[in-house]
Amino acid sequence: MNKDPQPPQWATAFLRWYCRPRLLEDLEGDLYEYFIRNVRRKGLRYARLVYWLDVIKFLRPYTIRKIEPLTFLTQFMMIGSYFKTSRRNLVRNKLFSFINVVGLAVSMSVGLLVIAIVNDLLSYDDFHEKKDRIYRVITHHQNDGQTPMDLASTSVRTAQRLAGDVPGVENFTMLRNGFSGDAKVGQNTFPLEATWADRSFFKVFTFPLVAGDPATALQQPYSLVLTEKTAKRLFGSTQVLGKTVRFDTLDYQITGVARDIQTLSHIHFDALLSFASWDATIGKKQDELYNWDNVWSNYTYITLAKNGSTAGVQRALSQISSEENKALVRKKVTLSLQPLKDIALGRKLSNNMGPRMEPTTLWILAGLAFVIILSACFNYTNLSVARSLRRSREVGVRKIIGARRSHVLGQFMTEAVLISFLALVFSFGLYLVLRREFLALDPHIPEIFKLNLSVRSVLSFIALAIITGLVAGFLPAVFFSKINALSAMKDASGLRIFRHIGLRRVLIVAQYTLSLVFIATTLAGYSQYKGFLNFDLGFTTENILNIKLNGADAAALKKELSEIPEVSKISQSSMVTSLGSMYGFDVKYRPNASTPGDSALVWVNTVDENYLPIHQHKLISGSNFTLRPEKGKESELIVNQQVLKRFNIGGRDPQKALGHVLKVDGQDLTIIGVMKDFHYGTVENKIEPVMFRYSQSEPWGYLNLKIASTDLASTMTKIESAWKRFDKIHPLKANFYNDQIEDAYSRFSMMIKVIGFLAFLAICIASLGLFGMVVFTTETKLKEISIRKVLGASEPGLVYLLCRGFITLLAVAALIALPATYLLFDKVLLTGFAYHQPISIPEMLGGALIVMLLALVMIGSQTARAARSNPAKVLKSE
Amino acid sequence: MKGTNLGEFEELVLLTIAALAAEAYSVAICDELERYTGRSAKLGVVHAVLNRLEEKGLAKSHLGDASATRGGKRKRFYEVTHAGKVALMRAKELREAIWRNIPGFNLEGSI
């Protein structure tokens, strides 16, 4: 090689690729001869350059290889044969087929679920006739000195401006959420939530009416459109056109009945009120709701004219924005368009309506599914290559009879695709189970997803099977197609089947690393989750039942409830802390009259005098609320230590802080107590300044009941009947504090379930693969074992010999996986939490140990069987 | 039939093949042509012509034995077919017939 100068390899490869086989050999020789001459005359570099140029110059019609239809034709004709041999191979190697089909089926079922989810998200709002022309007007809200906000909502003013004939807009409509009232129908009363919508609602959206005229249904004030479901709830029938429903003192006439709304719609309503009713009731009283910068509760949608362009409308919107912004001080509101189809899978907007999934979440899900499928593909690759000894003869015969490389490649690809299709059938069955489980995972999920089959999803399923097959079969196919026919026939043992052992090792390590990462993540994550639930919040949540008041006066209910003997104490609060919701006020503190003072946002809960004792908040100094003032006349305040720290009150000394005055919401409130810091938000938030204000009555808040009972069920029925006596219309909404906390962290439990399930799958697949590898390796080494045995090797020694390699691989996998998981938690997952448990190493190690034990049992049992085999029987057959 | 007549360069190549007898393969033909004409004969051109001659049935080829000098690649040797010989003869006769009809052609005088 070094002796003779060689022409550039790439050029030769190129020549071989394009040149007709008949012309190739002598042409290559000719070029080589010239190359040698040039080397002698002008040097290597020049020669190589000329060689390249010559190769390119020979690219002429008469030298270029003709496309050989025959090769394709034979591929096509051979497909039948491929199927036949594939089938035979599947049946002959039952273990191999079983491992592969099961592994692929299990992993692909996850893939199918992800496809179904994506398919659902892509089908959102597909039922609107004008779906491609509907756009939502969204708002960019910028206050000077604050982070800007992007909102899905707009102002009423926007719609008023759109009415002034914007070119390119065919139609527009406006919605407003938030109507909630008690509907009186005859003698009965029902709580009802509704949405206001203006008259062109049904022109923009396709929500078919079973009764009523869509053009006029929402035109008049006090018009009401019910869905069939609501109509049945209120009247017991859907024949309700023209009837009236009374809210407080106002009669609303039913002008339409809409068909129930499909799941895959981002707009959901039980009833629609005409926007004119909003104008006549709420809007009339509050002029500021029509302001340009009141962008919080309205949603505006437009349909683009058939010949209109988004650019044109956008220009008009920018024009409107800049005109209206002139009236604003230190604030800017700009409008833009968002296509209807982008809503379910689009970017994050505040005040969003309907479900929305972050594309990143979807990518992570798809990535996890991909990793699992890839792991099953590794099994196929590994086992196929391991079995190559058996199949190399077949390939040899095929090649001698005249199969080209491409034919062998095609054959093995076909086989892999066939297996993956077989797996698809099973995985579809698994998918149906998985789908049911997924929909039951959380009560909200069925409201968001249907996961029904559609043409698109079925085609995607098939595409997934094909791609999986091709990925799984690629490496074995390449490996087999490279087998030299002669050496395969001459001496099978001459085939270097262990040549690809490196690749196989890498694949096994990859699989096990993956499994270990999954299991360690699950267990460590679970211990974190348990940690969140049992976190010391700084107060007690034990046996506290929170009842949501529904605008009712609490005093009467309190009296009713206090008669139940198991209820030991009752307090009131405007909210339940530590669940994630937060309410705050700007608080101003002036140490003395001469200083300008300092103001900051302080989180608030409004409570009564029983709240602190029931929740066992620790007072460091001062006392509980002593006065019992009416609403709006309060003067006392209890703060936490962070407030002292933030404002530096009394040199941060709790004793000295008593008696200082804070200005809250226009009132001067005196600090009468300092309590120990507690977790007002979730553990994701840092502890911040919090204050408790006093209030006797919080009609929209909660009652906190301390329950001392051994029989919770009967206590609950007593509470329920007390509630029924008190409020006949609204159902009781009562939850134990601990359950609410669990609920607040439910997304983590959901995530852990998902990851845990994936861990289970990954371990199953990796174990199957390892099992197959052990079986095939021991089988090929059976003779070696027998000879060793004859020569006097002990059984434990043989088991050790066979296991050694695999155990090393597992150890390597563990060495990669455990630190990786630790870093994943330390650097990524737990960075979002201000407070968390230390990462539990024992749990991670425990998980790894279980997986290792499982693997060791498998390896051990198989190798022990091989080691016990009778050498006489094995060696006799030679 | 299209392609039976012989172009000038084709004629030269065919003649060279005949002249080289058993040693007529592409590189040798190029060298020989260079020697006769004094102009450089590119392999690309000669190769194409050889291919065409073979297509027309005026020359035929076979692969020789492998030799180490060409990177183990065999040479393709060409020989003139019967049709090739006929074509060469005809071309020669045609020229001579015309030559014969030129009255008193005097090379020295014309220059």
Side-chain angles (χ1 to χ4, degrees), chain A residues 27-44:
Chain A
L27 183 56
E28 214 182 311
D30 292 348
L31 288 176
Y32 184 77
E33 226 177 303
Y34 272 100
F35 172 75
I36 295 294
R37 266 187 211 181
N38 281 328
V39 171
R40 255 183 241 135
R41 247 186 260 156
K42 305 253 178 98
L44 187 62

Side-chain angles (χ1 to χ4, degrees), chain A residues 549-561 572 696-701 703 723 726-727:
Chain A
L549 294 165
N550 235 330
D553 179 45
L557 179 63
K558 242 176 171 172
K559 201 161 153 281
E560 196 87 46
L561 289 171
Q572 270 187 34
Q696 229 171 17
S697 143
E698 283 295 332
W700 292 104
L703 284 189
W723 174 269
F726 171 75
D727 186 338

